[in-house]
Amino acid sequence: MERRTFINLGLTGLGTTLLMANAAPAQFIPKPSKEKWAVLFGTWYGTARDAGVWVSEGMGGIASVFDVRQVPADLASYDHLIIGTAIHGGRGPKDLDDYFAKNVDRNSEQVRGLYVVCGNLGKTPGPQQVKDYVDGYLGKMCKVSGLPSRVFGGRITQSLMPEAEFKSIQDMYAKIGGPAGDWDNLNRMECLKLGKEIFAAKKA
């Protein structure tokens, strides 16, 4: 499968990420598909974005991938949505909560799958995290249940975080036995599997 990347809409140059003030939203450029798919994610430091790109790749790269902070006005025109988020303090970013508070009735019928990225103190997420964060939070917010879903391991990257926040997390982890320094438990293969599962469920 050919590699996909983020570019700003309306600008040429696949394989280039352009950061410009007031530019059009950056998005994952999908392969052509008869039906329009989109992954909408909430994130702080990019982990849920990377998971969303890999979920799309698992579907054959057919889904556009959007940060909720840059959601296009025509999201309702997509046939199918996959919703993902990072978790911090038991919830996703406020932008994601705010978006669904305003748009859940319009978008819930389009949702085909859910995913959550959870640090879980560096441990592999399990059934409790699915219950808390997929069923108890994201599913309720989107007004959906019983869809293909997954809780992925998270990561900490010091260079992407404000120094005070990184230190706060490290201090907390030192007290409760979490990992020190940078770590990365986001598994690309698990993301690909979810993408395949979501796509197969839609075709069934």
Side-chain angles (χ1 to χ4, degrees), residues 2 20 49 51 58 62 69 77 83 89 109 118 130 140 192:
E2 70 182 84
M20 299 174 58
R49 173 202 62 215
I62 62 171
R69 293 169 293 188
S77 71
I83 310 301
E109 291 296 321
C118 172
V130 173
K140 282 187 177 180
L192 295 175

Side-chain angles (χ1 to χ4, degrees), residues 3 25 29 47 59-60 127 129 131 152 156-157 175 185 191 196 199:
R3 184 174 177 173
I29 304 302
T47 313
M59 302 168 62
Q129 284 70 47
K131 179 180 178 181
F152 302 124
I156 293 288
T157 307
K175 293 176 182 177
N185 291 336
C191 297
K196 291 176 182 177
F199 192 61

Side-chain angles (χ1 to χ4, degrees), residues 4-202:
R4 298 285 165 179
T5 189
F6 279 84
I7 66 171
N8 278 313
L9 296 178
L11 299 174
T12 58
L14 277 175
T16 304
T17 301
L18 299 176
L19 300 176
M20 299 174 58
N22 302 317
Q27 79 165 94
F28 177 82
I29 304 302
K31 287 185 177 180
S33 173
K34 292 181 180 179
E35 296 181 302
K36 291 180 66 177
W37 286 79
V39 177
L40 180 66
F41 65 86
T43 193
W44 283 277
Y45 305 113
T47 313
R49 173 202 62 215
D50 293 351
V53 170
W54 293 339
V55 167
S56 179
E57 286 182 357
M59 302 168 62
I62 62 171
S64 298
V65 183
F66 297 106
D67 188 319
V68 71
R69 293 169 293 188
Q70 296 180 310
V71 61
D74 66 342
L75 191 60
S77 71
Y78 283 81
D79 301 300
H80 312 293
L81 301 178
I82 300 166
I83 310 301
T85 189
I87 290 291
H88 186 70
R91 300 190 70 83
K94 185 177 183 298
D95 298 290
L96 190 69
D97 290 356
D98 290 347
Y99 176 82
F100 274 98
K102 296 175 183 176
N103 297 285
V104 66
D105 292 333
R106 181 173 64 180
N107 293 143
S108 63
E109 291 296 321
Q110 301 160 275
V111 178
R112 304 288 177 255
L114 304 170
Y115 71 87
V116 169
V117 177
C118 172
N120 199 37
L121 301 179
K123 301 173 185 176
T124 301
Q128 187 62 50
Q129 284 70 47
V130 173
K131 179 180 178 181
D132 291 344
Y133 303 139
V134 173
D135 302 331
Y137 168 58
L138 196 57
K140 282 187 177 180
M141 183 173 69
C142 298
K143 295 186 178 180
V144 297
S145 62
L147 299 176
S149 59
R150 201 83 84 248
V151 178
F152 302 124
R155 68 182 175 210
I156 293 288
T157 307
Q158 181 175 1
S159 61
L160 298 179
M161 303 176 70
E163 184 176 346
E165 185 165 339
F166 179 79
K167 184 179 184 306
S168 174
I169 290 173
Q170 293 298 291
D171 290 346
M172 177 185 68
Y173 281 3
K175 293 176 182 177
I176 59 178
D182 286 4
W183 51 274
D184 188 349
N185 291 336
L186 182 62
N187 187 308
R188 180 174 180 266
M189 296 308 297
E190 289 301 311
C191 297
L192 295 175
K193 287 179 185 177
L194 178 60
K196 291 176 182 177
E197 184 180 337
I198 291 170
F199 192 61
K202 168 58 183 61

